[in-house]
Amino acid sequence: MPVQEALVLPSDNVLPGVRKAGALSPKRPAVETAGLADVFPYYAGFSFEWARHQLARHETELLNNGTVLDPWNGSGTTTLAAQSLGLNAIGLDLNPVANVIARLRAQDYSQVEKIKRPQAGVDVCLDDDPLAAWFAKPTIRRIRQWGKAAEDIGGPTRDLLTVSLFRAIRAATKRFEGSNPTWVKRAKELSETVSIASDELDAIIEWHIGFISSRVGSQSCPRQVSVVTADSRKMPIASDSVDVIVTSPPYLTRIDYAVAYSRELALLGIDISTDRSLRAGLMGTTLIRPQTEDIFPFGEAASQLLSLIQKHDSKASAGYYLRQTRQYLADLTSGLDEITRVCRNTATLHLVVQDSFYKDVHVPLADICIDEAAMRGWVLKNEPERFLVRRTLTSLNKAAQTYKKGDVAESVITFSRGK
Ligand SMILES: C[S@@+](CC[C@H](N)C(=O)[O-])C[C@H]1O[C@@H](n2cnc3c(N)ncnc32)[C@H](O)[C@@H]1O
């Protein structure tokens, strides 16, 4: 199952008693074509229409040189929506794959450079190539020659070619995707690697270039957005400089973004099996980092969750899973600390989060965010809107079905600064 299909969950139902009639659901439709969202599957926090609707409400204040930020920008739905309204926007994401996609969606392609087939003799270095986890050496050589062509061209065309290579690589390695769509396997031995004749590979890549080119042609860009590879726990942004945040952090569902995008990261030269820094830095990672910093006390909802997990009788609950949850919460609250630092006193924060389950324990992520934001001086602007999610990612995973799960809510929470 393609990643996007698995993650785009139907949520047209509404939990009773909370959401006002007529509220616009944030959930991205199964195939959202707005701003090329369908050219490459990426985790959808919310739809383009929803993000645009939220930002349009702030248009007057923002048009006077205001700044929009998404600190977990993913494929750049917020930055694209801001751009479509002519607003200044910054999108941060630690995963460089996300940022290539976000840039592709936001750039001006009225002058795409013609992409030529690279010469067969172009010299490329194949030592310790991370693509060797899926491809045979001659195929890697050809992919790298295309990659070098992308670097040589530079600018928006580089991103177009890079996403074409993402698509080609993903299609050629489909059999390494297991029943869990976010866990990508690797070849155990050379005989399992994919080998494609250069001519055939060229034709596949050119097909993807043609497909994406046909889609980007008509984009108009009233403003350039800034898409930056950076950590939401340490934002490279000045204090008191942001007016509106529209964002959706990773949820507590143990999705390992680095593993899910290991093939694309390999194309970008990052081998997550040897370099663990990116994987460890992503919020929600299944890797436990050595604890080097103090974790400050959490609010009531988070503390209660930790206590329920600690007391759970299933294996490793009081060990690994407790540590993983605490690490996730520490990352979430560090992100909220940074959000608080970079926002002006008049700022608004729109957050989309989804509750989940740890075994049979409800993970009330919306309540946790409300508590933690309140501790940092944010006040609820109105009652959160809650939308029913019928199929959770865990329900796709057989091992996770031992415990009965209820429906979970996806919540839209809007805060203003309490000062
Ligand atoms: C739910 S997705 C956001 C989806 C996005 N709203 C969209 O529409 O595509 C969360 C994003 O957070 C990113 N992320 C995880 N840990 C991060 C960190 N420490 N700093 C910045 N981004 C991070 C992930 O790479 C992922 O792209």
Side-chain angles (χ1 to χ4, degrees), residues 324-345:
Q324 201 254 343
T325 309
R326 196 182 287 129
Q327 177 173 284
Y328 171 88
L329 293 169
D331 289 350
L332 176 69
T333 51
S334 301
L336 283 172
D337 282 339
E338 277 293 81
I339 284 176
T340 310
R341 178 183 68 78
V342 302
C343 276
R344 291 187 210 278
N345 285 346

Side-chain angles (χ1 to χ4, degrees), residues 57-321:
R57 290 158 54 183
H58 301 281
E59 217 172 341
T60 339
E61 51 195 274
L62 284 171
L63 276 175
N64 188 16
N65 231 2
T67 299
V68 175
L69 168 69
D70 188 340
W72 293 285
N73 194 40
S75 59
T77 306
T78 302
T79 37
L80 185 74
Q83 188 185 43
S84 75
L85 293 166
L87 307 172
N88 293 320
I90 306 169
L92 308 181
D93 204 291
L94 196 55
N95 182 357
V97 173
N99 295 331
V100 174
I101 301 157
R103 280 200 307 267
L104 177 83
R105 293 175 75 192
Q107 274 163 161
D108 181 1
Y109 284 94
S110 50
Q111 313 232 314
V112 183
E113 289 210 31
K114 176 122 185 64
I115 302 172
K116 286 196 231 100
R117 222 178 242 215
Q119 301 283 331
V122 173
D123 196 25
V124 283
C125 172
L126 300 180
D127 297 343
D128 300 323
D129 196 303
L131 285 173
W134 301 279
F135 291 99
K137 213 164 186 171
T139 307
I140 301 175
R141 172 170 291 111
R142 194 62 188 149
I143 294 171
R144 290 297 176 205
Q145 287 172 338
W146 276 100
K148 188 165 185 311
E151 288 311 313
D152 292 348
I153 291 176
T157 315
R158 179 191 57 190
D159 294 318
L160 190 155
L161 182 44
T162 305
V163 178
S164 306
L165 294 174
F166 284 171
R167 286 174 57 103
I169 286 175
R170 199 165 256 245
T173 52
K174 212 149 185 40
R175 64 181 147 96
F176 292 93
E177 293 168 16
S179 57
N180 175 349
T182 65
W183 198 262
V184 179
K185 290 177 238 145
R186 307 161 72 87
K188 290 197 189 71
E189 46 197 66
L190 213 58
S191 61
E192 286 180 22
T193 56
V194 175
S195 190
I196 310 173
S198 285
D199 275 1
E200 196 188 330
L201 183 62
D202 290 348
I204 294 169
I205 293 169
E206 282 165 350
W207 187 87
H208 288 293
I209 293 171
F211 170 75
I212 300 178
S213 302
S214 71
R215 298 290 311 283
V216 292
S218 61
Q219 290 207 124
S220 72
C221 304
R223 260 191 211 242
Q224 276 311 315
V225 299
S226 167
V227 173
V228 184
T229 301
D231 196 326
S232 56
R233 297 166 301 174
K234 233 181 179 171
M235 301 184 197
I237 295 178
S239 303
D240 300 316
S241 61
V242 170
D243 300 277
V244 177
I245 293 189
V246 174
T247 195
S248 175
Y251 310 142
L252 193 40
T253 45
R254 296 173 43 77
I255 291 177
D256 205 313
Y257 288 90
V259 176
Y261 293 96
S262 48
R263 293 163 290 181
E264 293 78 11
L265 286 166
L267 180 78
L268 299 181
I270 298 170
D271 186 345
I272 63 156
S273 69
T274 54
D275 175 358
R276 302 202 133 198
S277 55
L278 171 66
R279 195 173 158 212
L282 288 167
M283 186 175 157
T285 179
T286 51
L287 288 183
I288 306 289
R289 303 187 287 268
Q291 201 183 310
T292 52
E293 282 159 30
D294 293 340
I295 295 184
F296 295 104
F298 299 119
E300 203 183 316
S303 304
Q304 219 167 50
L305 172 69
L306 288 171
S307 149
L308 287 172
I309 293 179
Q310 185 165 27
K311 282 192 246 147
H312 202 277
D313 55 10
S314 64
K315 194 167 164 245
S317 283
Y320 170 80
Y321 290 108

Side-chain angles (χ1 to χ4, degrees), residues 341-362:
R341 178 183 68 78
V342 302
C343 276
R344 291 187 210 278
N345 285 346
T346 49
T348 307
L349 165 61
H350 298 277
L351 213 56
V352 175
V353 291
Q354 195 174 299
D355 290 0
S356 56
F357 275 86
Y358 168 71
K359 317 283 182 193
D360 52 352
V361 175
H362 178 224

